[in-house]
Amino acid sequence: MSWQASVHDLVQSHRITAVIYAAAKLDLAEAIGDSEKSVAELARLVSADEGALRRLLVGLTTLGLCKQLGGDRFAMTDLGRQLDAAAEPSFKDWVLFEGEMLAQSWSGLVESVRTGRTATQLRGDGDDRYAATGQATEWTRRFNAAMVNLTRTIVPRIVAAHDFAASRVVMDVGGGTGELIGGVLQRIPHVKGIAFDLARCEADAHAHFDRLGITDRCRFVAGSFFEKIPDGADTIMMKSIIHNWNDDRCAVILRNCRDALPPGGTLIVIERIMPEHATMDPQDRSCVMSDLNMLRGPGGRERTEDEYRRLVIPAGFAFTGTTSIGPFSLIKFERASG
């Protein structure tokens, strides 16, 4: 009889997250490296109990992250190497964010479904999780690092999907520490860039631009996109910004984008596209899970393509096209005249 998933199997998925998180927290991928190591050697390297560590390594083997070799030795697989902070790609910071921050947030999903309120609202901390995090909390650091992991994997697809030939100045609104704008400028030498975000991101953004050698072409501007977005760019990018907010707050952001762009300027919205009718397809599941994460987190939502059009066009834009870029889509608009 072939194995078939049941609810009993599905509900244990949190154990997989815990196993992967433990491997990342113990720096196992870095300790094993590109070679193979015995359990005894690894236990010394990561300061763990030898017997317990072996059990974790066996668990990682069943997930395809490790492989068990002769003599009780283990090596990382190509998939497992993504837990190494120096790997390309690396998702280590995302794993730490998921295991330390998001897993806790999801434990209150029942209350959010019953009330329609976010975790922050249910705690009585106000409506804005991002404002509530303060200037430089551990949540903010973990969040920014996780976003860097995700953005690095998508930058080449963004550059391939949009022709930046006519762009002169590109601004990343909600640009964090500058990973997206920095990646674009590295690949498109004629473009200048602006990263626009809260002041708490500025120091890390400047350091990142310095590492990339683009300080002469890219600057950071501090501010809130709910108040005013600086002008000076002919192209605005927003990745994973609109999905954070409800329609009313998105309308404010989008009107500010319109005011910042010249007539004919380009707005690039990079988001997941919610399926009209969800299936068991892994990409549908990923998008729907992100939607529930928005319900529990900042209070936004994932939207269908039609919902994005109905949200953006009234703010003074014309829809010009959508391109799939893996799990995300690049939705392009042009600022209308007048």
Side-chain angles (χ1 to χ4, degrees):
M1 181 177 178
S2 62
W3 181 88
Q4 192 171 17
S6 69
V7 169
H8 173 265
D9 301 304
L10 293 172
V11 79
Q12 297 181 64
S13 299
H14 66 99
R15 302 182 186 187
I16 295 174
T17 301
V19 166
I20 298 172
Y21 169 75
K25 193 69 175 177
L26 288 168
D27 300 324
L28 270 178
E30 289 90 345
I32 294 175
D34 294 329
S35 60
E36 59 182 72
K37 287 186 173 65
S38 68
V39 176
E41 184 180 3
L42 283 171
R44 290 193 299 272
L45 288 171
V46 304
S47 301
D49 176 83
E50 185 175 334
L53 180 61
R54 185 186 187 282
R55 294 161 75 172
L56 178 66
L57 288 162
V58 171
L60 291 165
T61 299
T62 68
L63 298 176
L65 300 176
C66 283
K67 52 188 175 184
Q68 188 172 4
L69 307 170
D72 217 22
R73 301 176 71 81
F74 288 83
M76 300 303 292
T77 64
D78 288 342
L79 183 65
R81 288 190 186 96
Q82 294 180 7
L83 294 177
D84 187 331
E88 188 60 49
S90 171
F91 289 101
K92 181 175 184 176
D93 284 312
W94 185 275
V95 169
L96 295 174
F97 179 59
E98 189 83 39
E100 294 176 5
M101 310 295 179
L102 293 188
Q104 297 176 28
S105 174
W106 275 67
S107 66
L109 182 60
V110 171
E111 289 78 9
S112 288
V113 171
R114 280 181 168 154
T115 65
R117 307 186 74 192
T118 69
T120 303
Q121 291 169 334
L122 288 166
R123 288 196 306 269
D125 293 337
D127 291 335
D128 188 344
R129 179 181 71 178
Y130 296 97
T133 60
Q135 290 300 309
T137 64
E138 182 60 22
W139 188 96
T140 301
R141 285 189 287 270
R142 280 276 183 248
F143 174 80
N144 285 339
M147 291 303 106
V148 166
N149 279 179
L150 192 58
T151 299
R152 281 181 180 169
T153 67
I154 208 76
V155 168
R157 295 182 179 185
I158 293 171
V159 172
H162 179 71
D163 184 2
F164 285 91
S167 299
R168 292 295 173 264
V169 180
V170 178
M171 175 163 49
D172 185 9
V173 170
T177 58
E179 187 66 34
L180 175 54
I181 192 65
V184 169
L185 264 60
Q186 277 189 301
R187 290 165 175 81
I188 307 176
H190 77 270
V191 166
K192 292 186 177 180
I194 302 170
F196 176 70
D197 210 322
L198 299 174
R200 65 187 177 212
C201 299
E202 184 166 5
D204 287 339
H206 283 311
H208 182 59
F209 299 154
D210 188 53
R211 284 193 299 272
L212 296 181
I214 58 170
T215 53
D216 59 329
R217 296 169 52 214
C218 198
R219 60 193 176 95
F220 184 94
V221 178
S224 167
F225 46 50
F226 289 118
E227 296 172 5
K228 178 180 172 60
I229 294 172
D231 56 18
D234 52 63
T235 303
I236 284 178
M237 297 185 299
M238 286 194 294
K239 178 190 168 293
S240 301
I241 300 297
I242 296 299
H243 80 152
N244 285 321
W245 310 103
N246 63 34
D247 287 0
D248 290 341
R249 301 199 81 180
C250 286
V252 175
I253 299 170
L254 292 165
R255 285 196 300 268
N256 287 338
C257 286
R258 176 203 60 201
D259 293 343
L261 283 170
T266 299
L267 173 66
I268 300 172
V269 174
I270 302 159
E271 296 284 1
R272 299 175 188 267
I273 296 290
M274 191 76 165
E276 294 284 354
H277 301 284
T279 69
M280 291 179 63
D281 182 273
Q283 190 156 313
D284 283 6
R285 184 184 304 131
S286 176
C287 187
V288 171
M289 291 300 169
S290 181
D291 181 58
L292 290 170
N293 192 45
M294 294 301 103
L295 168 65
R296 184 61 186 158
R301 63 188 309 120
E302 304 298 349
R303 296 172 172 90
T304 65
E305 182 182 291
D306 185 58
E307 286 173 328
Y308 274 112
R309 292 193 201 189
R310 287 189 275 118
L311 188 66
V312 178
I313 290 172
F317 292 92
F319 172 74
T320 59
T322 297
T323 304
S324 175
I325 50 172
F328 291 87
S329 290
L330 191 150
I331 318 167
K332 289 187 275 190
F333 300 88
E334 182 178 302
R335 188 216 192 265
S337 59

